[in-house]
Amino acid sequence: MSRLNLRLWLLALWCMGLFFPVPLHSTDGPPTPPPLAPEKQGEMKEVRLTEIQDGDKKWVLKADNADYVRDKDRIVLSRVWVEIYGLEGGTLLITGDTGFIGIKSRDLTLTGNVQAKGPNYTFSSDEVHYNPQTRILTAPGPVRLESPRVFVEGKNMTVDLKTQKLDLAQHCKTKLRLSGGLWNF
C-alpha cells in the first residue's frame, strides 16, 4: 500500500471514530450512587427552599448540602443562608455553618458562627432559632448586637419580627456612640 493510501485509510478510520464512537464503558445506565448512611433517608446538594404563607414570601433558605433524617422528621443543613421578608424597613439575612429545619413545623435552627444583618443592625451568636408562625427569633446564648450608634453584649435575646421589638434577658455591656466617640456603661 502506498504511503498516500495508508494515510487516507487511517484518516478514514479516524473520521469513522468521530462519527461512530466506541463506548469505553458499559451502556447499562448511569453508575449506581454510593449508599446513604443508615441515619439518612435522602441527601441533596445546593438546596433552595422558599416559604410562602397567604401568598406572601416569608423566607428563602439556601444551603450547600441537606440531609433528610426521617426518624427526627427534619432536614439537616450545612453552610446555610436565610433571608426573612416582610420586615418593616427591609429584610433580615442570617447565615450559619450548620442548621436544621423541622419538616412539619418549619422551625429553623442555625448553629456555628451565626451572623445576621438587618435593616439597621447586625448581630452574631453561636445559635439562633426562628419560628415562622410567630415570627420570633431567639438566640439563647451569648449575643453581640451592633447598630451605627449602639453596641450591646448579652445573653438570651428574643426578637419579635412582627413588632420589631428586641429583648435581651441578660445584659453584659453597652457602648453608645455620641458624636464620634464610644461611651461604656
Side-chain angles (χ1 to χ4, degrees):
M1 199 186 279
S2 75
R3 206 176 229 177
L4 181 61
N5 287 342
L6 180 61
R7 284 184 187 166
L8 288 174
W9 187 75
L10 289 175
L11 180 62
L13 284 176
W14 180 74
C15 287
M16 285 177 50
L18 288 178
F19 296 112
F20 304 105
V22 178
L24 299 176
H25 59 353
S26 171
T27 58
D28 294 338
T32 306
L36 291 172
E39 70 276 3
K40 296 179 184 178
Q41 282 74 43
E43 188 174 56
M44 297 170 272
K45 304 283 184 199
E46 298 178 11
V47 176
R48 181 182 171 117
L49 302 172
T50 302
E51 177 79 13
I52 297 175
Q53 294 175 0
D54 301 323
D56 294 328
K57 187 187 313 185
K58 297 299 182 180
W59 53 262
V60 173
L61 177 143
K62 296 178 188 176
D64 284 356
N65 299 300
D67 299 319
Y68 174 57
V69 183
R70 183 180 303 149
D71 60 336
K72 295 187 179 180
D73 201 27
R74 64 183 179 182
I75 298 172
V76 178
L77 308 161
S78 64
R79 294 189 43 135
V80 188
W81 177 97
V82 179
E83 189 167 14
I84 300 172
Y85 297 94
L87 306 179
E88 196 172 302
T91 62
L92 178 64
L93 176 64
I94 308 171
T95 60
D97 295 336
T98 60
F100 63 88
I101 185 168
I103 296 295
K104 294 178 184 166
S105 67
R106 297 288 191 241
D107 287 359
L108 174 67
T109 300
L110 298 181
T111 58
N113 194 31
V114 177
Q115 304 289 320
K117 183 173 179 8
N120 304 348
Y121 61 91
T122 61
F123 73 84
S124 60
S125 183
D126 292 331
E127 181 177 353
V128 169
H129 303 282
Y130 175 63
N131 182 326
Q133 285 77 31
T134 61
R135 297 190 53 89
I136 292 180
L137 186 76
T138 58
V143 65
R144 295 169 57 112
L145 176 72
E146 294 182 56
S147 74
R149 299 195 52 103
V150 177
F151 170 84
V152 178
E153 286 183 349
K155 291 183 180 179
N156 198 6
M157 179 182 76
T158 302
V159 180
D160 186 332
L161 298 174
K162 285 182 192 174
T163 62
Q164 298 292 301
K165 292 190 178 180
L166 181 140
D167 180 38
L168 192 62
Q170 293 178 310
H171 174 262
C172 296
K173 182 189 289 187
T174 298
K175 294 180 182 181
L176 180 63
R177 186 179 313 271
L178 297 174
S179 64
L182 284 179
W183 286 29
N184 293 319
F185 295 96

